[in-house]
Amino acid sequence: VDCAGVCGGSLTLDVCGLCDGDGTSCLVDVTVSVDMSQSGSGDIADGSMVVRLVGGDWNAMVGMGDGVWSYTFSVAPGDYYYNFNQTGGSYVPGVSYEDGDALSGCGTGSYGNDRLFTALDGQNSTTPTVCWNSCDACPDIILGCMDSSAYNYNSNATEDDGSCVTDLSGFAPLFFSEYAE
């Protein structure tokens, strides 16, 4: 008996549970995004940043500006594993995929770089934007001198701005006068 109750019939339930459905009535949109601004990869060319559901085809992500790339999957409710690639779906050692060791708090799969989202019935959703090789959002960039031996070292800096002063020989000596006193 098929799903319509016909003996010897060929109708089946689709992924949405409808008899002879086309599998689209229950699809929801889930948007994933990755921030590449602090990845050290420089500017990423259009078509190079891609994402896929594990076992599926690569999908070109859309640059949202400021190094953030996004893609929206239309899927049936359920759990899905996905991963990012920054070389258009090809493999370049140490570059293409996120490092599974860096994703130990959120990655899974054979290489530890598969992420998970859950699509809920009837609810479109957006996953939080993650930083490349991280389980979290990218930290704020604080420009400053990151050389601890420099006179103007900034312990709060997250990105060196080239302003470090390590040699004072080019500066004039400072003269204090007590004349005003």
Side-chain angles (χ1 to χ4, degrees), residues 140-146 152 154 156-163:
D140 291 333
I141 295 174
I142 301 171
L143 297 175
C145 174
M146 294 181 68
N152 62 331
N154 180 350
N156 295 320
T158 59
E159 187 173 313
D160 198 293
D161 64 359
S163 68

Side-chain angles (χ1 to χ4, degrees), residues 149-170:
S149 66
Y151 291 101
N152 62 331
Y153 170 67
N154 180 350
S155 62
N156 295 320
T158 59
E159 187 173 313
D160 198 293
D161 64 359
S163 68
C164 295
V165 176
T166 56
D167 179 17
L168 296 177
S169 63

Side-chain angles (χ1 to χ4, degrees), residues 43-138:
D43 290 333
I44 301 197
D46 287 343
S48 293
M49 200 65 212
V50 293
V51 64
R52 71 173 174 184
L53 296 178
V54 172
D57 294 328
W58 291 109
N59 302 284
M61 299 182 78
V62 176
M64 306 305 290
D66 295 336
V68 175
W69 292 81
S70 178
Y71 183 79
T72 301
F73 291 104
S74 290
V75 294
D79 292 336
Y80 294 89
Y81 292 94
Y82 66 102
N83 55 46
F84 301 112
N85 179 295
Q86 65 173 323
T87 55
S90 61
Y91 176 69
V92 176
V95 175
S96 306
Y97 295 97
E98 293 177 287
D99 179 7
D101 292 337
L103 301 180
S104 62
C106 62
T108 188
S110 299
Y111 302 102
N113 64 352
D114 295 338
R115 297 173 181 271
L116 169 71
F117 69 75
T118 300
L120 300 176
D121 189 22
Q123 296 182 13
N124 293 334
S125 62
T126 300
T127 63
T129 300
V130 293
C131 199
W132 178 260
N133 271 334
S134 172
C135 296
D136 303 308
C138 289

